[in-house]
Amino acid sequence: LFIYPMIEVLRYSFTNLRFGNDSFRYTLSSYTSILGDSDFLTVLRITFTFVFFSVVFQLILGFIIALAIYNGEKLNLKGSIFVRTSVIVSMAIPGVIIGVIWTMLFDESPAGIVNYYLGLIGIGPVRFLSDPDLALVSVIIANIWRGTATNMILLYAGLKTLPDSILEASNVDGANEFETIFLIIIPYCRPILLICGLLSVIGTFNTFDMIMSLTGGGPAGRTEVLALNSYMEIFKNFNLGKGSVLAVVVLLINFIMAGVYFWMNKKEEA
């Protein structure tokens, strides 16, 4: 179920096959055409911009929330479980539904939730999804919300393994809160941070459903990441050859990241 479609996509990538045309020949033209294709380079730039900022803020927010919940539980503060549960909710929502939710939030009409509150303070309406300069930022914000929960759970689990003796020793040595976080907690959680970062990169790089329902790759292709671009080439432009090449590029990048993930896991276990 996995290997056969993968082999077929690889085979199609070496053809000039188009839907509606039964005749095709095996060629390298689909591969050579994307090397100097400015549109392909633009899609790569958008993809890596989307991945970089999404992953960075997912890690930062995931760590902050995990640390807040960890400290809240140690202090027996009420609401720690509620906060943890609220963040985890985003993991249970399908990507398509997340796109619909953020479409309602970013709606540019007076019914749009974000624009409604901005209007109360005299700002807006802001064209979150139709402005070429804001659309990618809006998609990144939605994806940060989507992926923060996974990082929070993993980092929270890592913090739970932090020995109390280390924190007590830092207090005895006179370390303040920032020194404890940056010199003790973050170095201790470094292996988990690396794993979280890599898993976030893999998940974000393959994001398709959320963007499809949120912007459809628009406006003017400004939010069209590599996975979505492959879909568009095949099912909108009916160019199965070029679309398969883009799918192979996505597959190769995933294999590389998966290899790095297993290497890091093996290194940590050793």
Side-chain angles (χ1 to χ4, degrees), residues 191 194-195 197-199 201-202 252-268:
L194 291 175
I195 296 299
L198 191 56
L199 291 176
V201 169
I202 294 173
L252 288 175
I253 294 175
N254 275 289
F255 271 129
I256 292 171
M257 291 189 293
V260 173
Y261 171 74
F262 286 119
W263 174 79
M264 289 174 60
N265 257 352
K266 188 175 181 180
K267 186 177 180 182
E268 290 301 328

Side-chain angles (χ1 to χ4, degrees), residues 174-196:
N176 57 39
E177 291 294 330
F178 288 101
E179 289 173 336
T180 301
I181 293 172
F182 288 101
L183 299 179
I184 296 175
I185 296 178
I186 291 180
Y188 181 85
C189 293
R190 178 178 169 273
I192 302 174
L193 284 167
L194 291 175
I195 296 299
C196 283

Side-chain angles (χ1 to χ4, degrees), residues 9 48 54 59 111 114 119 136 141 143 146 151 177-179 183 199 203 209 214 218 228 266 269:
V9 168
F48 286 115
S54 292
L59 285 174
V114 175
L136 183 58
I141 291 172
N143 193 61
R146 180 190 192 183
N151 292 287
E177 291 294 330
F178 288 101
E179 289 173 336
L183 299 179
L199 291 176
D209 48 0
L214 183 57
L228 183 58
K266 188 175 181 180
E269 291 174 359

Side-chain angles (χ1 to χ4, degrees), residues 5 31 40-41 45 54 58 79 109 126 134 147 159 161 179 187-188 195 209 212 217 246 256 261:
Y31 281 94
F40 174 69
L41 297 177
R45 178 182 58 79
S54 292
Q58 283 174 5
S109 70
V126 179
L134 288 178
L159 289 171
T161 66
E179 289 173 336
Y188 181 85
I195 296 299
D209 48 0
M212 188 67 181
L246 297 171
I256 292 171
Y261 171 74

Side-chain angles (χ1 to χ4, degrees), residues 213-233:
S213 61
L214 183 57
T215 64
R222 296 297 287 270
T223 61
E224 194 168 302
V225 295
L226 194 54
L228 183 58
N229 184 238
S230 175
Y231 172 88
M232 291 296 187
E233 281 293 333

Side-chain angles (χ1 to χ4, degrees), residues 53-132:
F53 286 103
S54 292
V55 171
V56 168
F57 284 99
Q58 283 174 5
L59 285 174
I60 293 174
L61 291 177
F63 178 77
I64 291 174
I65 297 172
L67 187 62
I69 295 173
Y70 173 75
N71 287 329
E73 289 182 346
K74 290 185 66 177
L75 296 172
N76 294 319
L77 296 180
K78 294 181 179 180
S80 297
I81 296 177
F82 173 77
V83 172
R84 185 175 60 193
T85 305
S86 300
V87 176
I88 293 175
V89 165
S90 64
M91 294 181 61
I93 304 176
V96 174
I97 304 302
I98 290 176
V100 173
I101 291 172
W102 282 90
T103 299
M104 293 188 292
L105 287 170
F106 287 141
D107 194 318
E108 296 163 18
S109 70
I113 298 173
V114 175
N115 270 315
Y116 170 77
Y117 286 105
L118 289 177
L120 295 179
I121 57 176
I123 301 175
V126 179
R127 298 188 300 126
F128 288 107
L129 301 178
S130 62
D131 188 320

